[in-house]
Amino acid sequence: MSKPDLLIHTAFKLFYEHGIHAVGINTILSETGVAKKTLYRHFGSKEALVEAVLIYRDQIFMDWLTSRMLAAGEGKVAILALFDALDDWFHDRVDVLLPFKGCFFIKANGEFSNHAVNALCQKHKQNITSFIQANLIDCSSELSVAELAQSISVLKEGAISQAYVAGDLDAAKRAKAMAVTLLD
């Protein structure tokens, strides 16, 4: 693994577990064995590393989620597979995402204000909603496709929050049942 990749991967694990502002550069350097000069040569600042970590997590999460949804099929089946995927994540059955500790993007967004981090978090959420919407093109519902995609996204976000904050690891199953009602 290259040093930039090692720094990103290690920083993600530490940020996800402890929070971005709670983890200092020296902790990341200690965990990786990388010199401070090397870190700053590759990233320039902690904020630049945080942005690289967000891009890394977005790629990992989107690859995982889209592959799970596409493997299930198209349309309603793909949307319902989203909630099955979340259930696996909540129950720590997805190695690539690490043990479930909530949504990294929500947590990161809460630590910054009017920053590039917030834009990256918003972009991640928009990308998921767009992917959901693309899978709803053939679904019939009383709602428009865009409204339906937003509603499914709200169910997804609610399930993640409920699982993390309330410890309700079956939240994805309940959200899936609500999604079925929306899709019918």
PDB file of all heavy atoms in Angstrom, residues 15-42:
ATOM      1  N   PHE A  15     -10.669   8.417  12.371  1.00  0.00           N
ATOM      2  CA  PHE A  15     -11.720   9.442  12.344  1.00  0.00           C
ATOM      3  C   PHE A  15     -13.094   8.823  12.573  1.00  0.00           C
ATOM      4  O   PHE A  15     -13.932   9.382  13.271  1.00  0.00           O
ATOM      5  CB  PHE A  15     -11.733  10.186  11.003  1.00  0.00           C
ATOM      6  CG  PHE A  15     -10.530  11.043  10.716  1.00  0.00           C
ATOM      7  CD1 PHE A  15     -10.249  11.405   9.401  1.00  0.00           C
ATOM      8  CD2 PHE A  15      -9.692  11.497  11.710  1.00  0.00           C
ATOM      9  CE1 PHE A  15      -9.159  12.209   9.104  1.00  0.00           C
ATOM     10  CE2 PHE A  15      -8.586  12.303  11.418  1.00  0.00           C
ATOM     11  CZ  PHE A  15      -8.325  12.654  10.107  1.00  0.00           C
ATOM     12  N   TYR A  16     -13.325   7.689  11.954  1.00  0.00           N
ATOM     13  CA  TYR A  16     -14.627   7.024  12.068  1.00  0.00           C
ATOM     14  C   TYR A  16     -14.875   6.563  13.508  1.00  0.00           C
ATOM     15  O   TYR A  16     -15.973   6.668  14.023  1.00  0.00           O
ATOM     16  CB  TYR A  16     -14.675   5.849  11.091  1.00  0.00           C
ATOM     17  CG  TYR A  16     -16.028   5.177  10.928  1.00  0.00           C
ATOM     18  CD1 TYR A  16     -17.184   5.908  10.707  1.00  0.00           C
ATOM     19  CD2 TYR A  16     -16.133   3.791  10.962  1.00  0.00           C
ATOM     20  CE1 TYR A  16     -18.415   5.277  10.537  1.00  0.00           C
ATOM     21  CE2 TYR A  16     -17.351   3.157  10.786  1.00  0.00           C
ATOM     22  CZ  TYR A  16     -18.494   3.899  10.583  1.00  0.00           C
ATOM     23  OH  TYR A  16     -19.705   3.284  10.413  1.00  0.00           O
ATOM     24  N   GLU A  17     -13.839   6.089  14.150  1.00  0.00           N
ATOM     25  CA  GLU A  17     -13.946   5.587  15.523  1.00  0.00           C
ATOM     26  C   GLU A  17     -14.034   6.715  16.551  1.00  0.00           C
ATOM     27  O   GLU A  17     -14.833   6.658  17.474  1.00  0.00           O
ATOM     28  CB  GLU A  17     -12.733   4.705  15.841  1.00  0.00           C
ATOM     29  CG  GLU A  17     -12.671   4.202  17.259  1.00  0.00           C
ATOM     30  CD  GLU A  17     -13.620   3.070  17.558  1.00  0.00           C
ATOM     31  OE1 GLU A  17     -13.987   2.331  16.628  1.00  0.00           O
ATOM     32  OE2 GLU A  17     -13.997   2.922  18.730  1.00  0.00           O
ATOM     33  N   HIS A  18     -13.215   7.755  16.374  1.00  0.00           N
ATOM     34  CA  HIS A  18     -13.061   8.760  17.429  1.00  0.00           C
ATOM     35  C   HIS A  18     -13.538  10.154  17.069  1.00  0.00           C
ATOM     36  O   HIS A  18     -13.702  10.989  17.963  1.00  0.00           O
ATOM     37  CB  HIS A  18     -11.586   8.843  17.843  1.00  0.00           C
ATOM     38  CG  HIS A  18     -11.010   7.532  18.257  1.00  0.00           C
ATOM     39  ND1 HIS A  18     -11.350   6.906  19.444  1.00  0.00           N
ATOM     40  CD2 HIS A  18     -10.127   6.713  17.636  1.00  0.00           C
ATOM     41  CE1 HIS A  18     -10.681   5.758  19.538  1.00  0.00           C
ATOM     42  NE2 HIS A  18      -9.943   5.615  18.457  1.00  0.00           N
ATOM     43  N   GLY A  19     -13.706  10.456  15.794  1.00  0.00           N
ATOM     44  CA  GLY A  19     -14.062  11.802  15.353  1.00  0.00           C
ATOM     45  C   GLY A  19     -12.853  12.490  14.741  1.00  0.00           C
ATOM     46  O   GLY A  19     -11.711  12.218  15.128  1.00  0.00           O
ATOM     47  N   ILE A  20     -13.113  13.368  13.822  1.00  0.00           N
ATOM     48  CA  ILE A  20     -12.028  14.024  13.090  1.00  0.00           C
ATOM     49  C   ILE A  20     -11.224  14.948  13.990  1.00  0.00           C
ATOM     50  O   ILE A  20      -9.987  14.899  14.023  1.00  0.00           O
ATOM     51  CB  ILE A  20     -12.586  14.774  11.859  1.00  0.00           C
ATOM     52  CG1 ILE A  20     -13.158  13.770  10.860  1.00  0.00           C
ATOM     53  CG2 ILE A  20     -11.506  15.639  11.218  1.00  0.00           C
ATOM     54  CD1 ILE A  20     -13.995  14.366   9.756  1.00  0.00           C
ATOM     55  N   HIS A  21     -11.908  15.815  14.725  1.00  0.00           N
ATOM     56  CA  HIS A  21     -11.189  16.780  15.561  1.00  0.00           C
ATOM     57  C   HIS A  21     -10.531  16.121  16.770  1.00  0.00           C
ATOM     58  O   HIS A  21      -9.583  16.679  17.334  1.00  0.00           O
ATOM     59  CB  HIS A  21     -12.112  17.922  15.987  1.00  0.00           C
ATOM     60  CG  HIS A  21     -12.534  18.791  14.845  1.00  0.00           C
ATOM     61  ND1 HIS A  21     -11.648  19.314  13.929  1.00  0.00           N
ATOM     62  CD2 HIS A  21     -13.753  19.244  14.464  1.00  0.00           C
ATOM     63  CE1 HIS A  21     -12.292  20.036  13.033  1.00  0.00           C
ATOM     64  NE2 HIS A  21     -13.583  20.006  13.334  1.00  0.00           N
ATOM     65  N   ALA A  22     -10.992  14.965  17.153  1.00  0.00           N
ATOM     66  CA  ALA A  22     -10.418  14.262  18.304  1.00  0.00           C
ATOM     67  C   ALA A  22      -9.119  13.543  17.954  1.00  0.00           C
ATOM     68  O   ALA A  22      -8.352  13.166  18.847  1.00  0.00           O
ATOM     69  CB  ALA A  22     -11.421  13.258  18.861  1.00  0.00           C
ATOM     70  N   VAL A  23      -8.860  13.352  16.677  1.00  0.00           N
ATOM     71  CA  VAL A  23      -7.664  12.629  16.232  1.00  0.00           C
ATOM     72  C   VAL A  23      -6.663  13.641  15.663  1.00  0.00           C
ATOM     73  O   VAL A  23      -6.948  14.317  14.680  1.00  0.00           O
ATOM     74  CB  VAL A  23      -8.011  11.576  15.158  1.00  0.00           C
ATOM     75  CG1 VAL A  23      -6.745  10.911  14.617  1.00  0.00           C
ATOM     76  CG2 VAL A  23      -8.969  10.538  15.719  1.00  0.00           C
ATOM     77  N   GLY A  24      -5.523  13.705  16.293  1.00  0.00           N
ATOM     78  CA  GLY A  24      -4.476  14.603  15.810  1.00  0.00           C
ATOM     79  C   GLY A  24      -3.593  13.937  14.770  1.00  0.00           C
ATOM     80  O   GLY A  24      -3.568  12.708  14.641  1.00  0.00           O
ATOM     81  N   ILE A  25      -2.882  14.759  14.070  1.00  0.00           N
ATOM     82  CA  ILE A  25      -1.951  14.271  13.044  1.00  0.00           C
ATOM     83  C   ILE A  25      -0.935  13.317  13.657  1.00  0.00           C
ATOM     84  O   ILE A  25      -0.585  12.295  13.057  1.00  0.00           O
ATOM     85  CB  ILE A  25      -1.252  15.466  12.340  1.00  0.00           C
ATOM     86  CG1 ILE A  25      -2.243  16.225  11.468  1.00  0.00           C
ATOM     87  CG2 ILE A  25      -0.042  15.019  11.538  1.00  0.00           C
ATOM     88  CD1 ILE A  25      -2.818  15.417  10.326  1.00  0.00           C
ATOM     89  N   ASN A  26      -0.444  13.629  14.855  1.00  0.00           N
ATOM     90  CA  ASN A  26       0.568  12.774  15.485  1.00  0.00           C
ATOM     91  C   ASN A  26       0.043  11.361  15.735  1.00  0.00           C
ATOM     92  O   ASN A  26       0.803  10.398  15.647  1.00  0.00           O
ATOM     93  CB  ASN A  26       1.080  13.405  16.775  1.00  0.00           C
ATOM     94  CG  ASN A  26       1.943  14.624  16.494  1.00  0.00           C
ATOM     95  OD1 ASN A  26       2.536  14.741  15.421  1.00  0.00           O
ATOM     96  ND2 ASN A  26       1.999  15.535  17.443  1.00  0.00           N
ATOM     97  N   THR A  27      -1.234  11.234  16.040  1.00  0.00           N
ATOM     98  CA  THR A  27      -1.827   9.902  16.227  1.00  0.00           C
ATOM     99  C   THR A  27      -1.805   9.126  14.915  1.00  0.00           C
ATOM    100  O   THR A  27      -1.465   7.933  14.888  1.00  0.00           O
ATOM    101  CB  THR A  27      -3.275  10.017  16.759  1.00  0.00           C
ATOM    102  OG1 THR A  27      -3.255  10.752  17.982  1.00  0.00           O
ATOM    103  CG2 THR A  27      -3.901   8.659  16.973  1.00  0.00           C
ATOM    104  N   ILE A  28      -2.173   9.790  13.841  1.00  0.00           N
ATOM    105  CA  ILE A  28      -2.161   9.146  12.517  1.00  0.00           C
ATOM    106  C   ILE A  28      -0.743   8.735  12.141  1.00  0.00           C
ATOM    107  O   ILE A  28      -0.507   7.622  11.670  1.00  0.00           O
ATOM    108  CB  ILE A  28      -2.772  10.077  11.454  1.00  0.00           C
ATOM    109  CG1 ILE A  28      -4.241  10.354  11.788  1.00  0.00           C
ATOM    110  CG2 ILE A  28      -2.614   9.489  10.051  1.00  0.00           C
ATOM    111  CD1 ILE A  28      -4.854  11.504  11.021  1.00  0.00           C
ATOM    112  N   LEU A  29       0.209   9.631  12.397  1.00  0.00           N
ATOM    113  CA  LEU A  29       1.611   9.339  12.080  1.00  0.00           C
ATOM    114  C   LEU A  29       2.122   8.168  12.912  1.00  0.00           C
ATOM    115  O   LEU A  29       2.831   7.306  12.399  1.00  0.00           O
ATOM    116  CB  LEU A  29       2.470  10.580  12.300  1.00  0.00           C
ATOM    117  CG  LEU A  29       2.139  11.772  11.400  1.00  0.00           C
ATOM    118  CD1 LEU A  29       2.968  12.983  11.782  1.00  0.00           C
ATOM    119  CD2 LEU A  29       2.331  11.417   9.930  1.00  0.00           C
ATOM    120  N   SER A  30       1.746   8.139  14.172  1.00  0.00           N
ATOM    121  CA  SER A  30       2.166   7.046  15.050  1.00  0.00           C
ATOM    122  C   SER A  30       1.612   5.702  14.573  1.00  0.00           C
ATOM    123  O   SER A  30       2.326   4.697  14.565  1.00  0.00           O
ATOM    124  CB  SER A  30       1.700   7.341  16.477  1.00  0.00           C
ATOM    125  OG  SER A  30       1.981   6.260  17.322  1.00  0.00           O
ATOM    126  N   GLU A  31       0.361   5.707  14.171  1.00  0.00           N
ATOM    127  CA  GLU A  31      -0.285   4.470  13.691  1.00  0.00           C
ATOM    128  C   GLU A  31       0.322   3.976  12.377  1.00  0.00           C
ATOM    129  O   GLU A  31       0.373   2.775  12.133  1.00  0.00           O
ATOM    130  CB  GLU A  31      -1.780   4.694  13.499  1.00  0.00           C
ATOM    131  CG  GLU A  31      -2.561   4.847  14.776  1.00  0.00           C
ATOM    132  CD  GLU A  31      -2.852   3.534  15.472  1.00  0.00           C
ATOM    133  OE1 GLU A  31      -3.093   2.526  14.792  1.00  0.00           O
ATOM    134  OE2 GLU A  31      -2.841   3.539  16.707  1.00  0.00           O
ATOM    135  N   THR A  32       0.722   4.901  11.526  1.00  0.00           N
ATOM    136  CA  THR A  32       1.214   4.521  10.194  1.00  0.00           C
ATOM    137  C   THR A  32       2.724   4.382  10.112  1.00  0.00           C
ATOM    138  O   THR A  32       3.226   3.708   9.211  1.00  0.00           O
ATOM    139  CB  THR A  32       0.792   5.566   9.138  1.00  0.00           C
ATOM    140  OG1 THR A  32       1.357   6.833   9.480  1.00  0.00           O
ATOM    141  CG2 THR A  32      -0.721   5.660   9.023  1.00  0.00           C
ATOM    142  N   GLY A  33       3.436   5.051  11.019  1.00  0.00           N
ATOM    143  CA  GLY A  33       4.891   5.069  10.926  1.00  0.00           C
ATOM    144  C   GLY A  33       5.396   5.991   9.828  1.00  0.00           C
ATOM    145  O   GLY A  33       6.576   5.963   9.464  1.00  0.00           O
ATOM    146  N   VAL A  34       4.529   6.827   9.302  1.00  0.00           N
ATOM    147  CA  VAL A  34       4.888   7.767   8.240  1.00  0.00           C
ATOM    148  C   VAL A  34       5.389   9.068   8.876  1.00  0.00           C
ATOM    149  O   VAL A  34       4.869   9.511   9.904  1.00  0.00           O
ATOM    150  CB  VAL A  34       3.662   8.045   7.326  1.00  0.00           C
ATOM    151  CG1 VAL A  34       3.944   9.149   6.323  1.00  0.00           C
ATOM    152  CG2 VAL A  34       3.239   6.766   6.621  1.00  0.00           C
ATOM    153  N   ALA A  35       6.376   9.678   8.269  1.00  0.00           N
ATOM    154  CA  ALA A  35       6.941  10.933   8.777  1.00  0.00           C
ATOM    155  C   ALA A  35       5.985  12.101   8.507  1.00  0.00           C
ATOM    156  O   ALA A  35       5.267  12.101   7.498  1.00  0.00           O
ATOM    157  CB  ALA A  35       8.283  11.210   8.129  1.00  0.00           C
ATOM    158  N   LYS A  36       6.007  13.076   9.396  1.00  0.00           N
ATOM    159  CA  LYS A  36       5.146  14.256   9.252  1.00  0.00           C
ATOM    160  C   LYS A  36       5.402  14.960   7.914  1.00  0.00           C
ATOM    161  O   LYS A  36       4.467  15.389   7.236  1.00  0.00           O
ATOM    162  CB  LYS A  36       5.379  15.227  10.411  1.00  0.00           C
ATOM    163  CG  LYS A  36       4.390  16.369  10.454  1.00  0.00           C
ATOM    164  CD  LYS A  36       4.619  17.282  11.647  1.00  0.00           C
ATOM    165  CE  LYS A  36       3.986  16.661  12.868  1.00  0.00           C
ATOM    166  NZ  LYS A  36       3.918  17.586  14.016  1.00  0.00           N
ATOM    167  N   LYS A  37       6.655  15.053   7.536  1.00  0.00           N
ATOM    168  CA  LYS A  37       7.023  15.707   6.270  1.00  0.00           C
ATOM    169  C   LYS A  37       6.361  14.988   5.085  1.00  0.00           C
ATOM    170  O   LYS A  37       5.880  15.624   4.148  1.00  0.00           O
ATOM    171  CB  LYS A  37       8.541  15.720   6.129  1.00  0.00           C
ATOM    172  CG  LYS A  37       9.045  16.440   4.907  1.00  0.00           C
ATOM    173  CD  LYS A  37      10.561  16.460   4.880  1.00  0.00           C
ATOM    174  CE  LYS A  37      11.072  17.143   3.637  1.00  0.00           C
ATOM    175  NZ  LYS A  37      12.539  17.154   3.576  1.00  0.00           N
ATOM    176  N   THR A  38       6.309  13.680   5.141  1.00  0.00           N
ATOM    177  CA  THR A  38       5.685  12.895   4.068  1.00  0.00           C
ATOM    178  C   THR A  38       4.186  13.155   4.016  1.00  0.00           C
ATOM    179  O   THR A  38       3.620  13.338   2.929  1.00  0.00           O
ATOM    180  CB  THR A  38       5.964  11.394   4.274  1.00  0.00           C
ATOM    181  OG1 THR A  38       7.380  11.191   4.304  1.00  0.00           O
ATOM    182  CG2 THR A  38       5.342  10.561   3.176  1.00  0.00           C
ATOM    183  N   LEU A  39       3.549  13.184   5.171  1.00  0.00           N
ATOM    184  CA  LEU A  39       2.108  13.459   5.212  1.00  0.00           C
ATOM    185  C   LEU A  39       1.815  14.819   4.580  1.00  0.00           C
ATOM    186  O   LEU A  39       0.944  14.935   3.718  1.00  0.00           O
ATOM    187  CB  LEU A  39       1.599  13.443   6.656  1.00  0.00           C
ATOM    188  CG  LEU A  39       0.104  13.712   6.789  1.00  0.00           C
ATOM    189  CD1 LEU A  39      -0.492  12.811   7.858  1.00  0.00           C
ATOM    190  CD2 LEU A  39      -0.189  15.148   7.126  1.00  0.00           C
ATOM    191  N   TYR A  40       2.560  15.832   4.995  1.00  0.00           N
ATOM    192  CA  TYR A  40       2.295  17.179   4.474  1.00  0.00           C
ATOM    193  C   TYR A  40       2.706  17.336   3.008  1.00  0.00           C
ATOM    194  O   TYR A  40       2.132  18.150   2.294  1.00  0.00           O
ATOM    195  CB  TYR A  40       2.940  18.237   5.372  1.00  0.00           C
ATOM    196  CG  TYR A  40       2.169  18.400   6.665  1.00  0.00           C
ATOM    197  CD1 TYR A  40       2.730  18.039   7.884  1.00  0.00           C
ATOM    198  CD2 TYR A  40       0.858  18.869   6.654  1.00  0.00           C
ATOM    199  CE1 TYR A  40       2.013  18.163   9.064  1.00  0.00           C
ATOM    200  CE2 TYR A  40       0.125  18.995   7.821  1.00  0.00           C
ATOM    201  CZ  TYR A  40       0.711  18.645   9.023  1.00  0.00           C
ATOM    202  OH  TYR A  40      -0.014  18.764  10.179  1.00  0.00           O
ATOM    203  N   ARG A  41       3.657  16.539   2.562  1.00  0.00           N
ATOM    204  CA  ARG A  41       4.016  16.572   1.135  1.00  0.00           C
ATOM    205  C   ARG A  41       2.864  16.029   0.286  1.00  0.00           C
ATOM    206  O   ARG A  41       2.569  16.537  -0.786  1.00  0.00           O
ATOM    207  CB  ARG A  41       5.291  15.763   0.891  1.00  0.00           C
ATOM    208  CG  ARG A  41       5.757  15.855  -0.577  1.00  0.00           C
ATOM    209  CD  ARG A  41       6.962  15.015  -0.851  1.00  0.00           C
ATOM    210  NE  ARG A  41       6.646  13.677  -0.375  1.00  0.00           N
ATOM    211  CZ  ARG A  41       7.539  12.772   0.014  1.00  0.00           C
ATOM    212  NH1 ARG A  41       8.802  13.026  -0.040  1.00  0.00           N
ATOM    213  NH2 ARG A  41       7.174  11.588   0.444  1.00  0.00           N
ATOM    214  N   HIS A  42       2.188  15.011   0.792  1.00  0.00           N
ATOM    215  CA  HIS A  42       1.086  14.414   0.043  1.00  0.00           C
ATOM    216  C   HIS A  42      -0.228  15.169   0.209  1.00  0.00           C
ATOM    217  O   HIS A  42      -1.035  15.204  -0.721  1.00  0.00           O
ATOM    218  CB  HIS A  42       0.891  12.947   0.448  1.00  0.00           C
ATOM    219  CG  HIS A  42       1.982  12.048  -0.008  1.00  0.00           C
ATOM    220  ND1 HIS A  42       2.193  11.737  -1.337  1.00  0.00           N
ATOM    221  CD2 HIS A  42       2.946  11.395   0.685  1.00  0.00           C
ATOM    222  CE1 HIS A  42       3.227  10.933  -1.453  1.00  0.00           C
ATOM    223  NE2 HIS A  42       3.707  10.710  -0.233  1.00  0.00           N
TER     224      HIS A  42
END
